[in-house]
């Protein structure tokens, strides 16, 4: 970068705040994460000098899941009115995952869904220690690929240890109520922005009134289009400010 804040190609750096509203039991949130990452990589390959601050916000698809587990058929019937919804979703999920290198075969064998509050609290724990995005990835893999339980303290502790966290500290945290109030407050706030997951909130750091929202695990081209449009807007606003 030169003194004017431009790269060798003459483009000024674009800084994004990207807030992702998700639930850890949602496999499409993991697919959406991959699509977002692919679009950011494509923009960089096309010469954009960008910085993306990605933050994850909690959402609860079902606040009435039993600790011992709620049958997947009952979950789908209660939330979507049709127990066969899950089977139809899997027919789309498996090939969508294969396209981005994700194997959902173990997820398709899940018979019970369990509360996700502990996993969200662990993501909050990791956020406070600078590893939120890594923890989100690790928890999606733990649940969707390894078939482990999102409310199980030992499973979550083992996952945290893979990222270098102290197991005893994590276990003590998860067995307490630490972080629960913060997570629930955030989940309440995001309800004004989302009624489903994943939902992506894009904001330009330098012009925070430039915002876009995308719902669902959109194709990488859709993410690319939004981010590119915002980068163009940023340069236009920079030019207007420089010419005043």
């Amino acid at each position: 970068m030169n003194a004017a804040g431009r790269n060798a190609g003459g483009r000024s750096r674009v800084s994004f705040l990207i807030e992702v509203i998700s639930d850890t039991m949602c496999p499409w949130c993991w697919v959406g994460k991959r699509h977002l990452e692919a679009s950011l990589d494509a923009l960089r390959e096309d010469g954009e000098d960008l910085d993306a601050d990605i933050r994850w916000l909690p959402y609860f698809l079902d606040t009435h899941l039993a600790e011992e587990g709620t049958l997947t058929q009952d979950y789908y019937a209660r939330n979507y009115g049709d127990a066969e919804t899950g089977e139809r979703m899997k027919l789309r999920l498996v090939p969508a995952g294969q396209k981005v290198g994700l194997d959902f075969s173990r997820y398709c064998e899940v018979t019970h869904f369990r509360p996700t509050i502990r996993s969200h609290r662990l993501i909050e724990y990791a956020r406070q220690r600078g590893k939120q995005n890594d923890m989100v990835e690790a928890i999606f893999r733990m649940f969707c690929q390894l078939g482990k339980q999102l409310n199980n303290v030992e499973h979550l502790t083992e996952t945290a240890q893979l990222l270098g966290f102290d197991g005893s500290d994590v276990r003590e945290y998860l067995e307490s109520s630490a972080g629960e109030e913060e997570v629930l407050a955030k989940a309440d706030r995001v309800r004004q922005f989302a009624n489903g997951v994943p939902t992506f909130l894009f904001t330009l750091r330098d012009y925070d009134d430039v915002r876009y929202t995308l719902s669902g695990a959109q194709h990488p081209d859709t993410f690319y289009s939004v981010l590119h449009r915002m980068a163009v807007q940023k340069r236009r606003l920079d030019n207007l400010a420089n010419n005043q």
Side-chain angles (χ1 to χ4, degrees):
M1 293 287 285
N2 59 27
R6 295 178 179 276
N7 60 22
R11 293 181 178 179
S12 59
R13 166 160 287 199
V14 184
S15 294
F16 296 101
L17 169 62
I18 303 175
E19 297 169 292
V20 189
I21 302 170
S22 76
D23 197 354
T24 51
M25 67 181 284
C26 167
W28 289 105
C29 294
W30 200 13
V31 175
K33 182 176 185 289
R34 283 290 186 276
H35 288 176
L36 171 64
E37 292 164 345
S39 68
L40 291 169
D41 288 343
L43 281 162
R44 292 186 178 105
E45 290 172 4
D46 289 346
E48 287 291 353
D49 183 8
L50 62 87
D51 173 68
D53 178 9
I54 301 174
R55 302 181 184 183
W56 293 82
L57 300 172
Y59 188 96
F60 298 103
L61 285 167
D62 192 328
T63 58
H64 302 290
L65 297 173
E67 280 292 326
E68 66 274 16
T70 296
L71 285 169
T72 54
Q73 299 98 314
D74 292 344
Y75 165 81
Y76 286 116
R78 181 167 70 212
N79 289 280
Y80 302 100
D82 180 359
E84 296 302 314
T85 295
E87 296 306 315
R88 292 193 295 269
M89 179 272 290
K90 292 172 188 175
L91 293 176
R92 295 184 293 111
L93 175 66
V94 170
Q98 290 172 339
K99 288 180 181 178
V100 292
L102 300 179
D103 180 4
F104 286 108
S105 57
R106 289 293 295 275
Y107 173 84
C108 291
E109 297 172 357
V110 170
T111 59
H112 293 75
F113 289 134
R114 294 173 172 84
T116 60
I117 180 66
R118 282 197 186 93
S119 61
H120 285 295
R121 287 175 52 225
L122 185 55
I123 291 170
E124 175 65 17
Y125 176 95
R127 182 195 67 79
Q128 295 172 3
R129 292 157 179 80
K131 290 188 176 182
Q132 187 190 44
N133 200 54
D134 292 340
M135 184 62 77
V136 168
E137 178 72 18
I139 289 175
F140 279 140
R141 179 173 288 107
M142 181 198 88
F143 175 58
C144 295
Q145 284 196 341
L146 302 181
K148 295 187 177 182
Q149 298 171 12
L150 290 167
N151 67 337
N152 185 289
V153 170
E154 290 306 314
H155 294 174
L156 291 168
T157 299
E158 291 166 5
T159 298
Q161 287 178 299
L162 294 175
L163 297 181
F165 290 112
D166 180 82
S168 297
D169 187 61
V170 170
R171 188 177 295 105
E172 181 180 354
Y173 170 85
L174 291 173
E175 288 176 344
S176 73
S177 60
E180 185 169 319
E181 186 175 333
E182 293 88 345
V183 167
L184 293 175
K186 288 181 180 180
D188 283 342
R189 287 198 299 273
V190 303
R191 286 284 178 174
Q192 64 183 299
F193 304 109
N195 56 13
V197 290
T199 297
F200 300 82
L201 310 176
F202 301 93
T203 305
L204 276 180
R205 280 292 198 188
D206 294 332
Y207 304 97
D208 60 11
D209 58 334
V210 179
R211 300 177 181 179
Y212 287 84
T213 301
L214 281 180
S215 297
Q218 300 286 341
H219 191 278
D221 288 349
T222 303
F223 285 108
Y224 183 102
S225 177
V226 168
L227 292 165
H228 181 263
R229 188 182 311 137
M230 294 178 75
V232 170
Q233 283 183 270
K234 197 265 184 185
R235 287 191 286 273
R236 185 182 301 124
L237 291 168
D238 283 348
N239 289 333
L240 287 172
N242 292 334
N243 291 329
Q244 285 181 351

